[in-house]
Amino acid sequence: MGDHTGYRPDHYLSSEEDPSVAVFSTHDDDVLAGKFQADMWWVRAAIYCSWLSILITLIFGIVGSVYAAQSESVAILGFAFDAFLDLLSSGLVIWRFWATLSGAGSESREKRATVGIALTFVALSLVLGIEAIVHLVRKDVPSSTAELRKVAIASIVIDLVLGTFKLKVAQKLKSSAMRGDAVTTFAGVIIGLSIAISTNVYEDDHSAWWVDSFFGLVLSIGLMILGCYTLAHYQWRTKRFWNPPTEL
């Protein structure tokens, strides 16, 4: 974007601001102004959606933590941890787009927010993977309740709607950070499904105690691949990346 006056991509500049482009007619200026206003609407949508996501995932995180302390389920632990990471990634999205509304640079924030969210993928992957392996080795039997299944189903429905809207916003704004936040939310959908499926399978067949941990391990591998793939596209291990001399 490279503009220090706010969210105004180069193709929105008039001929007076950029002499290298052709002179726009009044109609062209109106069209560009309309596009700019539409983009700002989606920027606000990203912020409001992220605040809603923080509220919802905070509730799910607290509930999941309570159940995780009472059970031996890897999926439930992943559910709680994913909720808190979703909260963190939504906070990064707010931080990223707040710069747009305040008129500060946002290109470098987009990159840093994307890397920050990718790091949450890696963190969630490590927690799920380690816990899944430990439970498989010890052959821990998960405990479940009807109330937990209801929470999982509620999470599936809410996260599916929320994640779909986040993905829509990401497409409109061409934001990799928002897209990463949507993936974090969809991870909650997958974890909710794994809780619902594993509890039902175990109730029907107690020899299938490993299903819960197996789901956790598969999700762990997927998140690690996605997180590392994203990180490989950025030079994020430098001080300059995290503390750029100027906001772009």
Side-chain angles (χ1 to χ4, degrees), residues 89-113:
S89 65
S90 294
L92 287 172
V93 169
I94 293 173
W95 172 77
R96 180 260 176 270
F97 284 110
W98 199 265
T100 298
L101 289 182
S102 63
S106 55
E107 183 177 339
S108 63
R109 285 198 177 198
E110 175 75 26
K111 295 177 181 178
R112 283 177 285 168

Side-chain angles (χ1 to χ4, degrees), residues 61-78:
I62 294 173
V63 173
S65 297
V66 172
Y67 280 115
Q70 298 173 351
S71 70
E72 293 292 340
S73 170
V74 174
I76 299 171
L77 176 65

Side-chain angles (χ1 to χ4, degrees), residues 40-87:
M40 291 304 294
W41 188 93
W42 285 108
V43 168
R44 293 187 179 91
I47 293 175
Y48 295 149
C49 178
S50 296
W51 278 117
L52 177 62
S53 180
I54 287 175
L55 176 61
I56 293 173
T57 53
L58 180 61
I59 295 173
F60 281 144
I62 294 173
V63 173
S65 297
V66 172
Y67 280 115
Q70 298 173 351
S71 70
E72 293 292 340
S73 170
V74 174
I76 299 171
L77 176 65
F79 174 82
F81 198 66
D82 173 72
F84 288 121
L85 288 182
D86 198 346
L87 187 153

Side-chain angles (χ1 to χ4, degrees), residues 20-205:
S20 65
V21 301
V23 176
F24 290 132
S25 67
T26 302
H27 174 70
D28 292 329
D29 287 337
D30 290 341
V31 171
L32 292 176
K35 290 180 179 179
F36 175 71
Q37 291 299 323
D39 281 348
M40 291 304 294
W41 188 93
W42 285 108
V43 168
R44 293 187 179 91
I47 293 175
Y48 295 149
C49 178
S50 296
W51 278 117
L52 177 62
S53 180
I54 287 175
L55 176 61
I56 293 173
T57 53
L58 180 61
I59 295 173
F60 281 144
I62 294 173
V63 173
S65 297
V66 172
Y67 280 115
Q70 298 173 351
S71 70
E72 293 292 340
S73 170
V74 174
I76 299 171
L77 176 65
F79 174 82
F81 198 66
D82 173 72
F84 288 121
L85 288 182
D86 198 346
L87 187 153
L88 175 61
S89 65
S90 294
L92 287 172
V93 169
I94 293 173
W95 172 77
R96 180 260 176 270
F97 284 110
W98 199 265
T100 298
L101 289 182
S102 63
S106 55
E107 183 177 339
S108 63
R109 285 198 177 198
E110 175 75 26
K111 295 177 181 178
R112 283 177 285 168
T114 300
V115 168
I117 292 172
L119 290 173
T120 67
F121 293 167
V122 174
L124 178 57
S125 171
L126 290 174
V127 171
L128 281 177
I130 293 173
E131 285 294 319
I133 293 172
V134 169
H135 283 238
L136 285 171
V137 171
R138 297 192 319 195
K139 295 184 178 181
D140 289 331
V141 176
S143 60
S144 62
T145 63
E147 289 76 14
L148 174 60
R149 192 177 295 111
K150 292 177 182 178
V151 172
I153 293 174
S155 171
I156 292 170
V157 175
I158 294 174
D159 282 348
L160 187 60
V161 173
L162 195 58
T164 301
F165 184 73
K166 287 181 178 181
L167 197 58
K168 178 69 173 179
V169 175
Q171 291 172 344
K172 288 293 184 179
L173 295 176
K174 296 180 175 59
S175 170
S176 57
M178 192 73 194
R179 185 163 53 248
D181 187 35
V183 172
T184 306
T185 302
F186 283 129
V189 175
I190 297 174
I191 293 174
L193 281 171
S194 70
I195 292 173
I197 293 173
S198 62
T199 52
N200 284 332
V201 170
Y202 178 72
E203 286 177 356
D204 293 337
D205 182 7

Side-chain angles (χ1 to χ4, degrees), residues 172-238:
K172 288 293 184 179
L173 295 176
K174 296 180 175 59
S175 170
S176 57
M178 192 73 194
R179 185 163 53 248
D181 187 35
V183 172
T184 306
T185 302
F186 283 129
V189 175
I190 297 174
I191 293 174
L193 281 171
S194 70
I195 292 173
I197 293 173
S198 62
T199 52
N200 284 332
V201 170
Y202 178 72
E203 286 177 356
D204 293 337
D205 182 7
H206 281 15
S207 66
W209 57 267
W210 51 269
V211 174
D212 177 85
S213 297
F214 175 76
F215 274 127
L217 190 58
V218 171
L219 182 59
S220 169
I221 294 172
L223 286 171
M224 180 61 75
I225 293 173
L226 183 58
C228 291
Y229 176 81
T230 302
L231 292 174
H233 288 76
Y234 297 91
Q235 296 180 344
W236 58 278
R237 298 178 185 176
T238 64

